[in-house]
């Protein structure tokens, strides 16, 4: 903190000062240089995600505490070292799996798929990932620094999440600025809340690596590696999901799992 | 009471002993970490350390320090290192060699690839329990994300998303081939 930052002789109600528009919503950022926010050492953000909108994975340089002000949806986090405990091999309806079988009809792809199967039992799952939770209005969500997080609105009204970013928190090892790191998507407007930086579009973290290095690290081809850089993509960081969002999710509170109902007969 | 606590506390530990490696691949090398679980006094300092020793063409998979800055010092050999900042810009792309220092701030992604027979370095981290997250590998961010998020986020097919997620089975070290430097970003 700079000296006298809390010498406030007047407070006022403040509105967001920056709005980042995206394909399926917007991110509204309060100016963290405003005297009262600077004194408290925090930044404040509001995420508005339209129905079927996916806020792409990102992580921050500090701890974040969020509150679901409106709507409902899904929230996923990737915590370093945690296992993919959500596993399922029947997430999609038979029609989708038929699609896979169609793939098998094309000899080369089929072989590849079988080869993948050959890479160990683990790959016979349809998918497995870290925990996904239902969120609803009133939920309060704690996100440690460096933990990637994504949201998806599976309701009919906008999902509104407000977050305080504790810039003075000891988990922030950088300066007193909110610095989101995007793992996917990009921010064509740039980090407009940062002073002194020539505003350039903000890209995702893959964008900074040569595609060849990404290809080697992920053992994929260079074309797919270039795709991960989202360079031809101007959707922003909240994108629409086309079709079904088949993420493995637990039953909603109060909803009995199907198997139990079957037993009930 | 000080005799039993502070005065008798252990304050040294050796990181050059491969038998204590936390990550080990016979063909590629090893990495050892020293945090407050290994050396409790580090809890007071809020610092930790890492020692790496890898062979030529071994790559430390792209990763970021989730809760610490890292100060990398090269003790032997050379490596090609790339670092990417929060704006997705490559802020370092070059060779580091013996005696050189490189600071890698929290959240900045880094990839290292040994270009000499042996590349050995020590990293000092500004957190007693420094955590990394990797961009590739069996315990990476990609492995933790649902296929839906990957295919929608990057606009790639479910099959491609599957490859991105599952192809790399290593967790930290892998073997890289081809040229080590790729010129400046587009």
């Amino acid at each position: 903190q700079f000296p006298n930052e809390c010498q406030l002789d007047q407070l006022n109600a403040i509105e967001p000062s920056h709005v980042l528009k995206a394909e399926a919503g917007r991110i509204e950022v309060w100016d963290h240089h405003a005297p009262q926010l600077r004194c408290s050492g925090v930044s404040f953000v509001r995420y508005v995600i339209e129905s079927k909108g996916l806020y792409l994975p990102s992580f921050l340089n500090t701890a974040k505490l969020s509150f679901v002000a409106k709507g409902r949806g899904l929230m996923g986090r990737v915590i370093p070292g945690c296992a993919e405990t959500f596993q399922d091999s029947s997430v999609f309806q038979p029609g989708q799996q038929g699609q896979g079988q169609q793939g098998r009809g094309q000899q080369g792809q089929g072989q590849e798929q079988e080869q993948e199967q050959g890479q160990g039992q683990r790959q016979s799952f349809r998918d497995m990932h870290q925990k996904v939770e239902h969120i609803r209005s009133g939920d309060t969500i704690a996100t440690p620094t460096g933990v990637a997080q994504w949201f998806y609105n599976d309701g009919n009204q906008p999902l509104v999440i407000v977050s305080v970013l504790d810039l003075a928190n000891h988990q922030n090892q950088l300066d007193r600025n909110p610095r989101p790191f995007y793992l996917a998507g990009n921010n064509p407007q740039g980090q407009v809340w940062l002073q002194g930086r020539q505003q350039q579009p903000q890209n995702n973290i893959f964008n900074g690596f040569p595609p060849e290095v990404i290809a080697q690290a992920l053992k994929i081809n260079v074309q797919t590696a270039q795709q991960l850089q989202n360079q031809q993509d101007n959707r922003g960081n909240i994108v629409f999901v086309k079709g079904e969002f088949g993420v493995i999710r637990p039953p909603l509170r109060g909803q009995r799992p199907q198997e139990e109902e079957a037993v009930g007969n | 009471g000080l005799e039993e606590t502070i005065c008798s506390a252990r304050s040294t530990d050796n990181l050059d002993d491969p038998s204590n490696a936390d990550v080990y691949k016979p063909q590629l090398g090893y990495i050892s970490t020293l945090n407050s679980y290994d050396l409790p006094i580090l809890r007071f300092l809020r610092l930790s350390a890492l020692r790496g020793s890898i062979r030529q063409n071994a790559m430390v998979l792209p990763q970021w320090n989730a809760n610490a800055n890292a100060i990398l010092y090269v003790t032997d050999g050379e490596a090609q290192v790339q670092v990417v900042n929060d704006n997705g810009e490559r802020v370092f792309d070059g060779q580091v060699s013996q005696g050189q220092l490189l600071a890698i701030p929290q959240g900045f992604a880094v990839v290292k690839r040994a270009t000499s027979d042996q590349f050995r370095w020590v990293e000092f981290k500004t957190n007693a329990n420094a955590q990394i997250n990797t961009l590739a590998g069996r315990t990476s961010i990609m492995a933790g994300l649902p296929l839906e998020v990957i295919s929608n986020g990057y606009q790639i097919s479910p099959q491609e998303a599957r490859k991105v997620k599952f192809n790399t089975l290593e967790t930290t070290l892998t073997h890289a081939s081809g040229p080590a430097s790729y010129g400046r970003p587009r």
Side-chain angles (χ1 to χ4, degrees), chain A residues 85-105:
Chain A
T85 50
F86 276 41
Q87 302 166 355
D88 189 5
S89 54
S90 59
V91 169
F92 275 100
Q93 298 308 313
Q96 287 254 318
Q97 279 183 350
Q99 203 179 12
Q101 280 147 2
Q102 276 167 8
R104 204 168 280 127

Side-chain angles (χ1 to χ4, degrees), chain B residues 15-172:
Chain B
L15 273 175
D16 266 349
D17 180 357
S19 66
N20 289 332
D22 296 311
V23 173
Y24 176 59
K25 288 201 79 165
Q27 312 82 6
L28 300 178
Y30 73 90
I31 289 176
S32 299
T33 56
L34 184 70
N35 56 32
S36 70
Y37 296 108
D38 311 309
L39 193 60
I41 196 170
L42 291 175
R43 193 172 308 120
F44 297 106
L45 278 62
R46 290 195 180 189
L47 293 173
S48 58
L50 174 148
R51 178 67 160 152
S53 173
I54 56 179
R55 302 181 198 289
Q56 183 144 25
N57 288 327
M59 171 195 278
V60 181
L61 286 169
Q63 59 187 235
W64 75 86
N65 289 290
N67 60 355
N69 300 318
I71 312 299
L72 183 150
Y73 176 78
V74 181
T75 59
D76 308 279
E78 289 177 350
Q80 183 77 16
V81 176
Q82 279 119 10
V83 180
V84 176
N85 71 1
D86 52 317
N87 224 40
E89 295 149 339
R90 195 180 318 160
V91 292
F92 182 81
D93 184 353
Q95 193 96 315
V96 291
S97 49
Q98 185 179 3
Q100 285 186 316
L101 187 80
L102 183 66
I104 303 160
Q106 175 189 20
F108 283 35
V110 57
V111 64
K112 304 185 261 300
R113 176 178 164 175
T115 50
S116 60
D117 285 346
Q118 190 101 40
F119 172 61
R120 302 180 78 215
W121 75 99
V122 64
E123 266 178 68
F124 301 97
K125 300 199 176 181
T126 55
N127 192 309
N129 297 306
Q131 283 176 0
I132 66 163
N133 215 337
T134 54
L135 285 168
R138 195 154 38 85
T139 56
S140 71
I141 180 77
M142 286 300 170
L145 287 175
L147 283 169
E148 302 300 329
V149 173
I150 295 173
S151 56
N152 280 283
Y154 299 109
Q155 294 178 303
I156 54 180
S157 69
Q159 290 73 23
E160 289 299 318
R162 214 174 214 318
K163 289 176 188 171
V164 168
K165 182 166 177 166
F166 289 117
N167 270 12
T168 301
L169 294 180
E170 294 95 332
T171 57
T172 312

Side-chain angles (χ1 to χ4, degrees), chain A residues 44-45 47 64-70 136-142 159-164:
Chain A
F44 201 82
V45 181
Y47 305 89
K64 178 172 82 168
L65 195 56
S66 306
F67 178 78
V68 182
K70 195 191 292 182
R136 59 195 166 92
S137 174
D139 279 351
T140 304
I141 308 164
L159 171 64
V160 179
I161 300 170
V162 293
S163 301
V164 71

Side-chain angles (χ1 to χ4, degrees), chain A residues 183-197:
Chain A
L183 290 166
N186 51 37
N187 164 17
Q189 291 164 251
Q191 299 191 65
V192 289
W193 51 87
L194 292 182
Q195 284 178 351
R197 164 177 262 172

Side-chain angles (χ1 to χ4, degrees), chain A residues 56-57 59 61 78 80 84 92 109 112 116 122-123 125-130 145-146 148 150 170-174 179-181 183-184 191 197 200-210 212-213 216-220 224 227-231 233 235 241-242 244-247, chain B residues 46 59 61-62 64 66-69 82 84-90 105-111 113 126-127 131-133 135-149 152-156 159-160 162-170 174 176-178 182 186:
Chain A
L56 294 175
F59 63 88
N61 61 317
V78 181
E84 294 82 33
F92 275 100
Q109 206 176 4
E112 198 176 301
E116 278 176 19
R122 194 167 56 80
Q123 292 197 10
F125 285 103
R126 165 64 192 95
D127 193 6
M128 54 186 199
H129 48 71
Q130 288 196 22
T145 186
W150 57 267
H170 77 282
Q171 290 195 1
N172 176 13
Q173 304 264 327
L174 301 180
R179 291 183 183 278
F181 293 78
L183 290 166
Q191 299 191 65
R197 164 177 262 172
Q200 296 154 13
Q202 181 184 15
N203 294 301
N204 74 33
I205 217 161
F206 282 108
N207 190 75
F209 288 109
E212 295 79 8
V213 172
Q216 280 181 7
L218 288 167
K219 297 185 171 40
I220 54 178
T224 306
Q227 198 63 19
L228 298 188
Q229 296 182 319
N230 287 116
Q231 283 190 351
D233 184 344
R235 300 177 297 166
V241 171
K242 302 177 184 56
E244 188 185 346
F245 190 61
V247 163
Chain B
R46 290 195 180 189
M59 171 195 278
L61 286 169
W64 75 86
N67 60 355
N69 300 318
Q82 279 119 10
V84 176
N85 71 1
D86 52 317
N87 224 40
E89 295 149 339
R90 195 180 318 160
Q106 175 189 20
F108 283 35
V110 57
V111 64
R113 176 178 164 175
T126 55
N127 192 309
Q131 283 176 0
I132 66 163
N133 215 337
L135 285 168
R138 195 154 38 85
T139 56
S140 71
I141 180 77
M142 286 300 170
L145 287 175
L147 283 169
E148 302 300 329
V149 173
N152 280 283
Y154 299 109
Q155 294 178 303
I156 54 180
Q159 290 73 23
E160 289 299 318
R162 214 174 214 318
K163 289 176 188 171
V164 168
K165 182 166 177 166
F166 289 117
N167 270 12
T168 301
L169 294 180
E170 294 95 332
T174 192
S177 54
Y182 299 99
R186 276 194 289 277

